[in-house]
Amino acid sequence: MSIKRLLITGAAGGLGKEMRRHLAGLYPVIRLSDIAAMAPAGKAEEVVQCDLADAGAVDALCRDVDAVLHLGGQSVEGDWPRVLNANLIGAINLYEAARKAGAQRVLFASSNHAVGLHRRSERLDHTAPCRPDTRYGLSKAFGEDLATYYAYKHGIKGFSMRIGSCFPEPVNRRMLSTWMSYDDFTRLIQVGLTADYTCEIVYGISRNTRAWWDNGNAYRLGYDPQDDSERFAAKVGDIVSDDPLEEAFVGGSYVKPDFTGDAAKIP
Ligand code: NAI
Ligand code: 15L
């Protein structure tokens, strides 16, 4: 079934604004939503300001929507109330509203922080179990489980994208491994919106020479990234943390705050 109305949550955020621009005109209607104010609706756009933690508002938001690109929520580490409201209750409201609306698929912006306490030396693929580095990463692990639940229990295609670092350019050596360009994110989203699958986990990275993860599952589904962070290596390749804990694990700077465990016991 074709997508007549695509909902993008988090549309006032960094990725939301970029994807609004990159996906413009590709679908008959794009509905844009955020808790924050957004630029007024343009041609073939609808703008709806709403808090994902408000179940009634999210039900209304999802009405007549065929597919969702779920970018909205707390995007970095935060205290429990913030993470709970935006990412747990918010995601539950979103999936439940998508189910009631009869949406076909939900693309979920998961994060490398869902697997942030895996070692960089490990070659993770889509079957790697979550090992969150933060409350934020834990909320993304929950989001991936929600996607699985709604896919198998209710038939909503679930596409969880474990995004590395999606910014204009990598800013340190870590990002030479984790970076995804906006153009490649657009390509990955288009795979999520068109490919035939039930429930998948993919990594949101470009075709980086220094990638830590095996993104074969995304390639199998049709993802063909065109960018490689290596062109920034001379500029940022020497920028590293002086903390061995941060440099050992996928999550980088997210690992150290609040850490009271024993790193030697983390496989
Ligand atoms: P961002 O923080 O710029 O955008 C998130 C948006 O969600 C904001 O505009 C915010 O107002 C909105 N939001 C927060 N709480 C909300 C609520 N309760 N109701 C409605 N809207 C709410 O983050 P960014 O970088 O654009 O990331 C987008 C998504 O991608 C996030 O879910 C983030 O966790 C995920 N992601 C991003 C990565 C990146 O490299 N940019 C890496 C991994 C994951
Ligand atoms: C994320 O999950 C965050 O949303 C983003 O702001 C970056 O910190 C990114 O991970 C990263 O690990 O670089």
Side-chain angles (χ1 to χ4, degrees), residues 75-76 111-113 136 163-167 174-175 178 251 254:
S75 65
V76 292
S111 168
N112 70 88
H113 298 288
Y136 164 68
I163 303 171
S165 309
C166 192
F167 295 101
R174 171 179 179 271
M175 284 199 196
T178 60
Y254 286 57

Side-chain angles (χ1 to χ4, degrees), residues 129-149:
C130 287
R131 195 185 291 159
D133 56 21
T134 40
R135 293 174 289 276
Y136 164 68
L138 184 54
S139 75
K140 293 299 183 180
F142 177 75
E144 291 186 4
D145 276 353
L146 265 185
T148 306
Y149 171 73

Side-chain angles (χ1 to χ4, degrees), residues 107-125:
L107 278 53
F108 172 58
S110 184
S111 168
N112 70 88
H113 298 288
V115 290
L117 281 185
H118 283 278
R119 291 186 183 272
R120 295 179 182 184
S121 51
E122 216 184 319
R123 185 104 179 130
L124 303 180
D125 69 9

